[in-house]
Amino acid sequence: MSRSARCWAVLALCAACGPRALPDVLIDGEFDDWNGTARVSGGQVIRDFGIAADGNVLSVTFTFASELNLQSMDGTVELQLDADGDASTGELADGIAGIDATVSFSHGGGGVAVRTAGDTAWQSSYAVGLAYAPTHASTRFEVGLDRTRLPDPGDRVVRAWLARIGPDGEVLDRVGPSATRVPPLTHPTVPAGADALARAPGADLRIATWNVGDRTPLRSPAPFRRILRALDADVLLLDELSPDIDTTYLRGLLPTPSRWAIVLGPSGGRQRTAVASRLPLTPAAGLQRVGYPNGIVDLPAVPGSQLAKDLVTIASDGVPTTGAVVRVGDTRVLAVPLDLFCCGRIGGPEDAGRIQTAEAVNRAVRVAVQDEAVNVVIVGGDLNLVGARTPLDRLRAGLDPAGGDLFPATAVTLDGRSRSTWRNPGPFPPGRLDWLLVSPSSADVLRAIVFDASALSVEAQAGLGLLPEDSEVTDHLPVVADLRIKATPTREPSDPSN
């Protein structure tokens, strides 16, 4: 997304809240906003390394010679910061004076940790407001840190070094320093106003996808009711629903319950899925139960891991997905929620399971596109892309009714800083796990946001009937998109008797 497009997208969310400071670098795993920023050349392992800053965020980018998962790899990557630009303060580390903070990626074999000068213990990366992208494996990454949680350099130059360290502690490569003079520190961006949830002009349909966190709606229904009312979606794609949640209970979470039709998928075991719609809705027959590929039961899961637990019942549970056809006037929209395996890294058994599952869902959706004669395809859910990007690409391939691939909606957090949809203070930093895919030949995404009630002003929260802590009810945030349906021919479902 270009910076001008990003400015429109964020400012359009909040016409009433006054000027808002946008970051110079959006932490989204796309790198056009780094064009023109100087990067230090590296060696055989780290190819380049750069640093930039705006009034709120200190950002770095780096490129490796081969793909890896930044939060789960053999060995570590260490980012060392002279955050105040003063070599006389901080620590002497690896022969470098003035190190104020060290960030360790894949710390202890998984996650990200931070240690500041003078501390002996490592802290969660949330202590410095760290976000990075992409969450999936890549050769290039970008990382943002909240400047208000780092020493203020004033008018001095900030410096940074990057090292790739092998599993035995050997330094495989080191690059730096990369340096930048930072602008004056500003305060956090102005909270979004109530208009952050206003529909985009010209929208025909609002879609939201949300991982609701297993039994959480049973334990804490009130925040779900408030958020779902505020989102004002026409169609909801819900995933990770406990089998104890039935359609009656689910309808009770929705605003004006009698207006909603629900298709609750029978498969998925502990993480079932559902489509709820205020528009006419019918089940897509071929998506009511999608089985896992036969070979998936042979994945070499680590004993005690979530994958090992899932494999015990996988044949009877079926894939956590379903499908339903929504009528928007004469247009038939196929809505498909899903939830892929969590955890792991590129090349691991969880990743292999995600790929196989994505391929199975893709095959089922291809059939449904023809059988249901749909004009628009929407797939959304928790893809858990912490290994390869492959599951995403296999899932979306060829599912546009015109023959192309589905396109990811580029939803941005309300503060304009990232595309992260998941956060849970602990070893793993925020990441983009939840995706909404749309057929570009038949629908335009006019606006897409990652919704967090805490990013709204107090007045906006009150006006929308929200509490600031409502979005803490689960560790996933809803992804919301306003769509304009393009002119499409009316099609009728195929006759199964032919």
Side-chain angles (χ1 to χ4, degrees):
M1 178 185 282
S2 68
R3 179 159 175 80
S4 61
R6 182 151 38 96
C7 288
W8 180 91
V10 177
L11 290 175
L13 295 175
C14 188
C17 66
R20 302 188 63 195
L22 288 174
D24 289 336
V25 173
L26 174 66
I27 305 300
D28 62 351
E30 300 174 13
F31 302 97
D32 287 349
D33 40 13
W34 285 94
N35 292 342
T37 300
R39 298 201 297 273
V40 178
S41 296
Q44 294 300 308
V45 177
I46 304 173
R47 292 298 171 81
D48 60 51
F49 176 46
I51 185 170
D54 59 34
N56 293 301
V57 181
L58 183 68
S59 304
V60 297
T61 185
F62 37 83
T63 307
F64 298 106
S66 58
E67 276 192 324
L68 55 78
N69 289 119
L70 199 55
Q71 66 183 22
S72 181
M73 70 186 103
D74 294 328
T76 63
V77 168
E78 283 197 355
L79 171 66
Q80 295 173 315
L81 295 171
D82 176 8
D84 64 359
D86 186 349
S88 67
T89 64
E91 297 178 337
L92 178 67
D94 300 315
I96 305 168
I99 299 301
D100 300 301
T102 299
V103 181
S104 175
F105 296 95
S106 194
H107 184 76
V112 181
V114 176
R115 191 179 65 79
T116 54
D119 290 337
T120 57
W122 291 86
Q123 305 175 67
S124 163
S125 62
Y126 290 78
V128 291
L130 183 145
Y132 85 94
T135 311
H136 59 72
S138 180
T139 57
R140 187 173 180 186
F141 297 91
E142 54 188 350
V143 179
L145 299 97
D146 185 347
R147 283 187 55 198
T148 64
R149 307 187 195 190
L150 297 171
D152 184 2
D155 194 39
R156 292 185 290 270
V157 171
V158 170
R159 302 175 299 156
W161 291 259
L162 192 76
R164 175 70 169 101
I165 300 170
D168 296 326
E170 71 276 23
V171 177
L172 305 178
D173 205 354
R174 185 183 297 276
V175 179
S178 183
T180 187
R181 186 177 297 277
V182 303
L185 183 67
T186 59
H187 293 291
T189 53
V190 176
D195 283 354
L197 279 175
R199 292 197 180 215
D204 298 307
L205 186 67
R206 169 166 284 191
I207 300 280
T209 184
W210 195 8
N211 179 326
V212 300
D214 193 13
R215 295 181 56 82
T216 309
L218 295 169
R219 295 190 295 262
S220 304
F224 286 97
R225 292 193 183 102
R226 289 191 289 267
I227 290 175
L228 291 171
R229 182 177 61 245
L231 295 183
D232 191 32
D234 302 308
V235 178
L236 296 167
L237 306 182
L238 304 175
D239 63 278
E240 203 171 297
L241 285 160
S242 164
D244 296 326
I245 297 175
D246 59 16
T247 54
T248 300
Y249 189 86
L250 185 54
R251 186 172 282 107
L253 297 176
L254 302 172
T256 318
S258 62
R259 294 185 57 193
W260 291 81
I262 296 174
V263 172
L264 178 60
S267 62
R270 65 181 180 86
Q271 46 188 11
R272 296 166 71 192
T273 59
V275 181
S277 174
R278 296 192 293 193
L279 299 167
L281 183 72
T282 55
L287 285 164
Q288 295 316 295
R289 180 173 177 80
V290 177
Y292 283 103
N294 292 334
I296 206 163
V297 297
D298 299 321
L299 291 173
V302 175
S305 67
Q306 185 59 59
L307 178 60
K309 297 173 186 176
D310 286 340
L311 291 178
V312 173
T313 59
I314 210 165
S316 59
D317 288 345
V319 174
T321 190
T322 190
V325 177
V326 180
R327 293 296 295 258
V328 185
D330 292 331
T331 300
R332 296 172 61 83
V333 179
L334 178 63
V336 180
L338 81 162
D339 194 305
L340 299 182
F341 293 127
C342 79
C343 314
R345 63 167 79 176
I346 187 171
E350 293 90 352
D351 210 31
R354 280 189 288 270
I355 293 169
Q356 292 182 42
T357 306
E359 291 172 342
V361 174
N362 178 277
R363 290 190 293 269
V365 175
R366 282 176 184 263
V367 174
V369 168
Q370 296 302 316
D371 289 351
E372 304 290 344
V374 298
N375 312 109
V376 180
V377 176
I378 298 169
V379 179
D382 181 4
L383 303 190
N384 277 310
L385 292 186
V386 296
R389 179 190 163 93
T390 308
L392 170 65
D393 294 330
R394 299 283 175 85
L395 174 66
R396 68 192 186 100
L399 293 188
D400 189 307
D405 298 344
L406 301 185
F407 190 79
T410 51
V412 182
T413 54
L414 292 182
D415 62 7
R417 290 188 178 186
S418 79
R419 302 199 194 283
S420 297
T421 67
W422 177 92
R423 69 280 179 269
N424 190 343
F428 297 102
R432 186 183 186 183
L433 301 186
D434 305 270
W435 295 69
L436 189 63
L437 312 176
V438 179
S439 51
S441 73
S442 50
D444 289 324
V445 179
L446 302 181
R447 179 180 302 165
I449 61 169
V450 180
F451 179 73
D452 184 349
S454 68
L456 296 170
S457 68
V458 173
E459 294 78 13
Q461 290 166 359
L464 291 167
L466 295 165
L467 299 179
E469 67 272 16
D470 276 348
S471 288
E472 297 174 11
V473 70
T474 76
D475 49 11
H476 289 260
L477 297 169
V479 178
V480 184
D482 291 337
L483 308 183
R484 178 173 57 214
I485 305 298
K486 299 181 184 180
T488 55
T490 301
R491 304 171 64 188
E492 294 300 327
S494 59
D495 185 346
S497 65
N498 292 338

